[in-house]
Amino acid sequence: MNESTLPDRLAHSLQDRRRVLVVGGVAGGASCAARLRRLDESLDIVVFDRGPFVSFANCGLPYYVGDVIEDERALLMASPDLFRERFNIGVFTDTEVTRIDCDARTITVRGTKGGGERVEHYDALVLSPGAAPIRPRLPGVDRAGVFAVRSIPDSRAIRTWISDREARTAVVVGGGFIGLEMAENLVRRGLAVTVVEKLRQVMPPLDPEMAAPIQTHLAKERVTLHLGDGLVEIDGHPGGGLIVVTESGARLPADLVILAIGVRPEIELAREAGLSIGARSGIVVDDQMRTSDPHIWAVGDAVEVPDVVTGQETVLPLAGPANRQGRVAAESIAGRATRFRGVQATAVVGVLGLTVAATGASEKGLRRAGVANFQTVYLHPGHHAGYYPGARPIHFKLLFSTPDGRILGAQAVGQEGVEKRIDVVATAIQFGGTVHDLAEAELCYAPQFGAAKDPVNLAGMLAQNVLNGDMPVAEWNAVGRTDALLLDVREPSEYAAGHIPGAVNIPLSQLRRRCGELPEHRDIWICCGVGQRAYYATRFLTQRGYRAWNLPGGYATYVAMRDAGLVPGRVA
Ligand code: FAD
């Protein structure tokens, strides 16, 4: 049935329908279109995507390369037919939007497989064009065998390359989330993998000492790391294959190269239309995702949004925010007053059996943002009660502001239960929570799942101890230059297996008896395995009038700090 055969009243109302066009039909665009339909049956909603698919799982792409997801169709969460039939949403794939005319309220679209251009009118326009992988302008980056990972065809091409060429070696340039996920999946495919990263650490959103255990783990899993070494050129190998040349002069042979050095918001369309672009090169939007043009909304990787912790504008290419923003834009178009709260960079990644998660600000992020009044605690609790078999340590760092105790961020690395703890902290941050809220949080406990004092509670309690002066903490980065006496309160066997250079050993169990050996007028910095015994020692000594300080997180944190180059020294 076309509109001319409909009863007059219905045909008329269809002609008068408000028209919402959506550019980009994946995370932000698809969720916006679907939400809009649920809110308003009367709208004419049309989605354009220049790729062959809409609503596909970008986040699953590395696992398709790694054969964890074997069937490409599993990546497709909704087809154009489903959009049409279930939601009455028009979908045009292989159709690029090339121009926006804000005055006329039209867009120009062009079929990527031919078919010429046409102009479409809108009442409301939603931009969700995402972010494109950065391809540095360096010699050789366009050679065959050099890939970025953004779409299903990209991952398909990588899979085909690996099997057709029987690839055995790969270089991944970039040690962030996508780089490490690709490294993991290439290892899974049996390739020998080298990661080249310009920074001196993997996982740039984390602080370096929290990235150190990931680096140790990668080395254990035989992933070769070139840290602090940038890509210079990709050369051809005389015998076939590629050679990745780095700033240090290393020449790394590879059957394929993955470029994963970050993404750049796709803002050309918006910029050419005269929409405001912010300092972080994202489209400027208000808290209802409306751009500088009142008829245009923008969401997802392409927009700038406030960071709820630092208050500064940021671009954050993550699927959760893109989906939520799509929903907010839909509500705004439908006339509701829903607002986007901002982002806090909650993220998780799996790295060959290790889970790495973070939320909120990192220490370096806070320093960059000019925040000075904060403190950190480190802890390394088991992911569940130690008496129940199989407890695995979680390396945990909590950042909080002083003196109010507001939670600013957390990072955690471990094998089990990592993302659960970060999710709890993330929720607390959403609610403006403090370390006192973490200490008080009532969380699940049975021995195989947690502990009566969950790692989240412990983090809150430690932070409380710092805030109320029960546990003065020393700064790790001052360990190499302090005049303080370094006191190690672990057992002699633990001390013998490795200790901070220059530390003297008095086990906690002997401290009451031997405290007379300690100087009364000198600072004493106390270290143990993970910080707990040092805390007991600090409490005892401060009550006896000594100037005692805890080195937070103990020797486990020292090793991470040392490996990250943040404290001098070797294991004595
Ligand atoms: P996209 O989902 O990228 O969609 C943009 C779409 O717009 C694209 O299909 C593009 O073709 C289309 N488009 C662009 N310009 C035009 C135009 N002019 N005309 C027509 N169409 C256009 N996030 C997480 O939170 N967790 C993860 O584990 C995770 N893993 C990831 C793994 C990979 C390999 C990748 C690439 C991303 C991953 N992300 C992850 C990020 C997440 O996928 C993005 O943040 C999210 O998809 C952004 O949604 P978006 O709608 O802004 O853009």
Side-chain angles (χ1 to χ4, degrees):
M1 187 185 292
N2 63 34
E3 289 185 14
S4 63
T5 63
L6 291 169
D8 273 359
R9 195 166 45 83
L10 184 54
H12 180 73
S13 76
L14 285 179
Q15 277 161 16
D16 286 350
R17 291 197 298 181
R18 272 178 85 210
R19 197 148 198 255
V20 182
L21 303 185
V22 180
V23 184
V26 191
S31 53
C32 179
R35 177 68 180 155
L36 253 184
R37 174 54 77 228
R38 293 197 292 277
L39 296 176
D40 192 339
E41 262 301 311
S42 75
L43 295 172
D44 178 16
I45 306 171
V46 184
V47 176
F48 300 92
D49 201 295
R50 67 175 169 218
F53 305 106
V54 283
S55 204
F56 68 90
N58 334 43
C59 309
L61 297 176
Y63 304 92
Y64 179 45
V65 171
D67 247 352
V68 179
I69 298 169
E70 292 175 9
D71 186 347
E72 185 176 299
R73 286 169 301 183
L75 295 166
L76 300 174
M77 287 169 315
S79 66
D81 284 347
L82 184 139
F83 270 101
R84 251 176 239 119
E85 287 156 16
R86 191 174 291 177
F87 301 120
N88 187 25
I89 292 171
V91 172
F92 291 92
T93 51
D94 298 311
T95 306
E96 181 164 24
V97 177
T98 55
R99 184 164 179 269
I100 304 167
D101 183 334
C102 298
D103 295 331
R105 270 190 251 158
T106 59
I107 58 171
T108 305
V109 304
R110 174 183 72 82
T112 56
K113 296 185 169 164
E117 284 192 342
R118 66 179 192 277
V119 171
E120 301 268 358
H121 173 264
Y122 63 82
D123 296 294
L125 178 66
V126 180
L127 304 178
S128 188
I134 294 171
R135 262 195 124 89
R137 287 196 193 151
L138 293 172
V141 292
D142 293 325
R143 285 179 185 277
V146 181
F147 300 93
V149 198
R150 184 183 184 186
S151 63
I152 292 179
D154 291 339
S155 352
R156 196 191 291 148
I158 297 170
R159 282 170 65 100
T160 309
W161 186 273
I162 291 172
S163 23
D164 287 0
R165 316 248 161 171
E166 295 179 355
R168 306 168 84 98
T169 54
V171 170
V172 176
V173 185
F177 282 88
I178 293 179
L180 293 191
E181 285 184 349
M182 286 307 296
E184 168 177 290
N185 282 288
L186 292 168
V187 167
R188 234 178 225 140
R189 292 289 299 259
L191 277 78
V193 178
T194 301
V195 175
V196 173
E197 165 59 57
K198 185 144 175 89
L199 297 178
R200 300 201 64 79
Q201 67 167 94
V202 295
M203 292 301 296
L206 263 59
D207 290 317
E209 76 281 13
M210 296 305 289
I214 312 169
Q215 289 149 202
T216 306
H217 183 73
L218 282 165
K220 205 176 94 215
E221 295 292 327
R222 289 195 281 281
V223 172
T224 309
L225 290 177
H226 276 253
L227 299 178
D229 202 5
L231 172 70
V232 169
E233 180 182 356
I234 301 172
D235 208 353
H237 196 288
L242 300 161
I243 295 182
V244 173
V245 186
T246 70
E247 285 167 351
S248 71
R251 294 177 63 80
L252 310 167
D255 295 324
L256 77 152
V257 175
I258 306 289
L259 291 179
I261 55 176
V263 295
R264 184 176 290 133
E266 292 232 28
I267 53 169
E268 292 71 25
L269 201 57
R271 194 201 297 276
E272 281 166 19
L275 302 183
S276 293
I277 305 296
R280 306 295 313 275
S281 297
I283 303 170
V284 172
V285 290
D286 65 12
D287 59 1
Q288 292 189 289
M289 310 313 296
R290 202 187 288 252
T291 68
S292 52
D293 181 301
H295 301 283
I296 305 179
W297 285 254
V299 301
D301 290 0
V303 301
E304 284 191 10
V305 278
D307 178 318
V308 293
V309 176
T310 64
Q312 299 182 346
E313 293 297 307
T314 186
V315 286
L316 183 71
L318 287 177
N323 275 276
R324 296 202 309 280
Q325 291 160 10
R327 189 178 164 92
V328 170
E331 307 232 332
S332 170
I333 293 166
R336 296 191 179 187
T338 318
R339 294 181 192 277
F340 185 68
R341 292 195 216 174
V343 294
Q344 60 190 74
T346 306
V348 61
V349 62
V351 186
L352 293 160
L354 214 56
T355 308
V356 180
T359 186
S362 62
E363 185 166 346
K364 60 187 175 186
L366 288 173
R367 294 199 195 286
R368 257 196 318 266
V371 180
N373 55 334
F374 69 89
Q375 273 278 8
T376 60
V377 289
Y378 296 93
L379 56 160
H380 309 271
H383 85 285
H384 62 51
Y387 67 82
Y388 189 86
R392 305 258 180 256
I394 298 178
H395 304 290
F396 200 101
K397 177 177 186 177
L398 180 73
L399 299 112
F400 52 97
S401 72
T402 50
D404 61 0
R406 186 169 69 94
I407 308 157
L408 300 176
Q411 299 160 42
V413 179
Q415 285 163 286
E416 303 277 348
V418 170
E419 70 289 358
K420 160 175 153 171
R421 272 57 190 221
I422 290 298
D423 277 344
V424 172
V425 179
T427 310
I429 290 176
Q430 280 267 317
F431 297 154
T434 66
V435 297
H436 310 293
D437 296 313
L438 298 185
E440 283 294 317
E442 188 170 311
L443 303 171
C444 295
Y445 166 52
Q448 67 273 48
F449 300 112
K453 279 185 200 157
D454 189 88
V456 169
N457 300 133
L458 287 175
M461 290 169 184
L462 277 180
Q464 282 181 320
N465 289 340
V466 173
L467 284 175
N468 64 24
D470 282 348
M471 187 178 76
V473 284
E475 298 264 340
W476 274 110
N477 56 17
V479 159
R481 51 189 156 80
T482 181
D483 293 333
L485 175 79
L486 296 176
L487 172 65
D488 191 323
V489 294
R490 294 175 300 161
E491 293 304 308
S493 58
E494 296 171 90
Y495 176 83
H499 58 264
I500 304 172
V504 298
N505 183 218
I506 302 179
L508 179 64
S509 49
Q510 298 175 17
L511 198 58
R512 280 191 171 75
R513 174 159 56 81
R514 293 178 54 190
C515 64
E517 297 171 29
L518 295 172
E520 282 174 20
H521 303 294
R522 187 175 164 197
D523 286 348
I524 303 169
W525 288 11
I526 308 172
C527 176
C528 66
V530 294
Q532 194 173 17
R533 283 171 285 177
Y535 167 55
Y536 300 151
T538 308
R539 291 299 306 145
F540 164 68
L541 289 174
T542 48
Q543 290 180 68
R544 296 285 286 255
Y546 289 93
R547 291 171 15 197
W549 305 73
N550 188 354
L551 280 163
Y555 192 69
T557 299
Y558 170 74
V559 169
M561 290 278 177
R562 183 201 62 200
D563 292 352
L566 298 177
V567 292
R570 59 196 163 72
V571 186

